[in-house]
Amino acid sequence: MIQGIGAAAGVAIGKAFVLPNWEWSLPDTQVNPVDLAKEFERLYEGIRTSKDEIEFIKKEFRDVVGPEESSIFDAHLAILDDPVFMSEIRGIIERQYKAAEVAVKEAIDHFVAMFDLLDDEYMKERAVDIKDVGNRLLKHLLGAPEVTLPSDTQPYILVAKELSPSQLAHLNPAYVLGIVTMMGGKTSHSSIMARALGIPLVAGLENKLPVPIQTGDMLVLDGDTGAIMIHPDEGTLKEFNTRRAIQLKKREQLELLATVEAVTKDGVCLRLACNISSVKELNVALKYGAEGVGLFRTEFLYMDRSSFPTEDEQFEVYKLVAEQVGKDSVVIRTLDIGGDKHLDYFQLPEEQNPFLGYRAIRISLDRTDMFKTQITAILRASHYGHVKLMFPMISSIEELLEAKALLNEVKSELDARGVPYDPDIQVGIMIEVPAAVMIADLLAEEVDFFSIGTNDLVQYVLAVDRMNEQIAHMYHPYHPGVLRMIRMTVEAAQRAGIDVSVCGEMASDERSLPLWLELGISVLSMSPQALLKVKHRTLNTLASEAREIAKVCLRSRTSSETEEQLNAFVKRSVTLGAGGDARGRTS
């Protein structure tokens, strides 16, 4: 047994498929100067073949997932046409008389090392693209066989050094039993996505394996504890097959709760909404009984394309979501790019610290043309359902008033055009930065609702970058400073008589339920996969008892004291089906 980090819960049993690291070790082969023309010919033939291959893959993906998702391969084609990258390769061949494959490898290493030095997650992702494209070119130059994922008829446990969110987005969760990564931890974007997809994941195994995992090795992974077993014996297989069967049975029983209201045993109602990035996610959430959309992350409409989406393109998506949700509300957050979210066609400045830089509402207020286009599309969609509009990363009254002024401009323009919209559309803000918490009473006078984005709030309150593995262990959602900030926000909203919800990772953590019950938060928005788990916990909770636990937590001096209380709350025995009433509660 090898101990890693349990990053996404669940048990997986199956054969491994190991993704290559794209790291080649080549001898420093030089060629006779008279043969340089031959090396250039080999290089250009490899480029042509690689382009043809990428175009074919792009078409295959487009047929399955549509044009927007498949456009990721346009970036790969652009690398093979990039004059700087190709000039580097040609220069090594021409000046150092090196073989084409050696020149390609050195160029890849040069650019990847250069990008990795930058404190910019987007550029690091571009380094992954260069490795991917360069590996494809090397494959043709070396005559190496194609590496493909197993057929969809053969479910597998995916093993990789690291996985980017874009890679995870293209996996079929129906055939990926589990994921093992050498790098990463609980707070990485890949781990968050794996939890949303319901795929068990164990991370952080770098330098812990006695021997490397090979494709075809039988694995057992436990995403709850972070343990993996290679070539388990019959007894271990039997034990984990039993655990997995229990988990699958529990999942089936949880799905019976989809149409049940989230009400505690003593009658306190919660509304469980969903966080979505696409219509596909909405369909899953509605299947699991989501009561509306608490956070529609619109930036994903802007990604994997070559230009900003038009007003009509956005309107059609927002309208479809509003109509599908029906009587429940849809909170649409305006564009939140910057930090770790970038657009290929919109050049952002290089920044020392992008998370404290040009991002979210700051970009929107700077690019009012783009901002007004999005607001227009959202307002038009509000005619077709219960739509609310939300601004991200507000830190001052000035920002909020400027955004509201633009909203009023758009309303006047729609009136002039004779286009219908909801003139009383509710306007809210994300509470994500400490400054917003400290002036929450002033902000509450200007909006209809608050939504607490705990992911960023925790990061900014604690000055901890959750993507930095060296300090990720300091990212504590239950830090007393974080809990006090949340309480201050809720109290300000309640004094002003406006609604307040929670839409970060803490909303989907069933341990947090006592806090929400004590603070009086009745709306939680979470990933579709977390809905039934939180609902089940709610049905099996006495609000009066949970509030007493929360009072202790809100007086705690350390994160560990709070976690001890909340972990004990979760470990209390609850049942599904047998022993419970028709709503799935314990007797």
Side-chain angles (χ1 to χ4, degrees), residues 149 156 158 163 166-173 176 179 197 199:
L149 288 173
Y156 53 90
L158 187 64
L163 280 175
S166 61
Q167 286 174 307
L168 261 177
H170 292 295
L171 292 177
N172 185 342
V176 180
I179 299 172
L197 292 168
I199 302 175

Side-chain angles (χ1 to χ4, degrees), residues 398-511:
E398 291 88 346
E399 285 175 330
L400 178 55
L401 293 179
E402 190 176 346
K404 287 177 65 178
L406 288 169
L407 172 62
N408 287 331
E409 279 185 32
V410 173
K411 286 183 176 181
S412 297
E413 290 168 4
L414 286 175
D415 288 337
R417 288 165 54 184
V419 176
Y421 65 91
D422 177 6
D424 300 316
I425 185 171
Q426 290 194 336
V427 178
I429 60 171
M430 294 279 287
I431 301 291
E432 302 171 273
V433 297
V437 175
M438 300 310 294
I439 60 169
D441 57 330
L442 305 178
L443 294 169
E445 295 172 356
E446 299 291 337
V447 295
D448 300 299
F449 65 93
F450 287 161
S451 184
I452 303 173
T454 57
N455 297 1
D456 271 337
L457 184 61
V458 174
Q459 177 169 253
Y460 290 130
V461 169
L462 302 182
V464 173
D465 178 0
R466 62 198 180 112
M467 299 304 295
N468 184 333
E469 291 179 18
Q470 289 181 298
I471 58 172
H473 65 282
M474 299 173 66
Y475 183 89
H476 292 302
Y478 300 112
H479 187 287
V482 174
L483 298 185
R484 290 184 182 194
M485 286 276 185
I486 292 173
R487 180 164 59 183
M488 288 174 65
T489 303
V490 174
E491 289 174 349
Q494 291 171 341
R495 285 195 301 270
I498 67 170
D499 295 332
V500 59
S501 63
V502 178
C503 66
E505 283 278 298
M506 284 180 72
S508 62
D509 187 341
E510 58 184 321
R511 295 180 300 171

Side-chain angles (χ1 to χ4, degrees), residues 503-525:
C503 66
E505 283 278 298
M506 284 180 72
S508 62
D509 187 341
E510 58 184 321
R511 295 180 300 171
S512 301
L513 186 58
L515 299 172
W516 313 140
L517 291 168
E518 169 62 14
L519 293 172
I521 292 176
S522 59
V523 181
L524 303 173
S525 190

Side-chain angles (χ1 to χ4, degrees), residues 193 428 493:
M193 285 187 69

